Amino acid sequence: MENGRDDLPPNEGGTAIEGADRAFYGRRKGKRLRAGQEQRLADLLPLLRVALPTEGARLDLPGLFPNPVDEVWLEIGFGGGEHLAAQATRHPQVGIIGAEPFVNGVVKLLWAVDDGDLDNVRIWDEDATQLLAAIPDASLARVYLLYPDPWPKRRQRKRRFVSDETLSEIARVLRPGGVFRFASDIDDYAGWTLVRAARCDALSWTAEAVTDWKRPFPEWPGTRYEAKAIAAGRGPTYLEFRRLG
């Protein structure tokens, strides 16, 4: 589903690879970057980009950050970076890794990092499944997947990021008690995610009341994509799953 903007990915979570036999994520770049944006991309991204270890090795997550962190979070497909930057500002003691292949979105997050002097942010601008594979077991406190591309046509659905395989990987990298938070304005994708999460023995849906899935997550700053979806009459769904011990 396109959102009609050249400076945003089709949806917030543009990454959509599910495995070697799956199709790639959507477009990598929107409208042409300005000179200052190109310069920031060239100067700042290499300093913040996560360097994957050799094949079969795992990342030292706390070691990615210049200052000690209490825990590490991951946001898959951060879109324009509004949510990630807001969380990094609110939680300076937390290291946050953002995965997003859409160049224009990466540039927007770089601006927020530079402007806010956020030293607790790191970026992976390639396939998020490669990053997941390099993360140690039980090492993340939170994983976010916010407004991923729904690939609405039936023949496209294998391109959705949520699958049995990716949920298994997300459960693997979450520590016991850690949470996976998913948001979408597409009811079919929310149902798709619930079905697959129910098949993952390591994840438990945290909803206790019938309205819980309509309530934004705590400390939710919202995003431009979400505001546009609401204005178009598409109500968001917020799902949280806890990693069982």
Side-chain angles (χ1 to χ4, degrees), residues 104-237:
N104 300 68
V106 171
V107 167
K108 289 180 181 298
L109 179 60
L110 290 175
W111 179 88
V113 168
D114 199 17
D115 187 61
D117 196 23
L118 302 176
D119 61 7
N120 59 332
V121 173
R122 290 295 179 268
I123 295 173
W124 174 249
D125 58 336
E126 297 290 343
D127 172 6
T129 59
Q130 294 175 351
L131 176 64
L132 276 173
I135 294 177
D137 295 356
S139 59
L140 297 178
R142 292 185 193 176
V143 175
Y144 289 96
L145 179 63
L146 308 176
Y147 296 99
D149 196 312
W151 300 106
K153 296 179 181 178
R154 185 171 297 276
R155 68 176 183 274
Q156 296 175 330
R157 290 180 183 174
K158 67 180 181 179
R159 302 181 71 179
R160 289 177 169 176
F161 190 82
V162 172
S163 67
D164 292 320
E165 294 79 13
T166 54
L167 286 181
S168 178
E169 273 293 274
I170 288 170
R172 178 187 66 78
V173 300
L174 280 173
R175 70 189 189 190
V179 295
F180 167 51
R181 290 177 175 173
F182 170 93
S184 179
D185 60 314
I186 306 300
D187 291 343
D188 174 73
Y189 202 175
W192 168 285
T193 299
L194 281 171
V195 168
R196 281 150 185 79
R199 296 200 292 246
C200 182
D201 293 338
L203 295 176
S204 175
W205 189 19
T206 62
E208 296 179 350
V210 293
T211 57
D212 282 357
W213 54 277
K214 285 297 182 183
R215 295 175 181 167
F217 306 121
E219 301 178 341
W220 177 247
T223 71
R224 285 181 299 154
Y225 178 83
E226 179 180 73
K228 187 171 183 177
I230 292 172
R234 299 190 302 274
T237 296

Side-chain angles (χ1 to χ4, degrees), residues 31-42:
K31 66 180 183 181
R32 185 174 181 178
L33 299 179
R34 297 187 297 273
Q37 293 174 316
E38 291 278 11
Q39 191 64 49
R40 181 173 281 117
L41 195 68

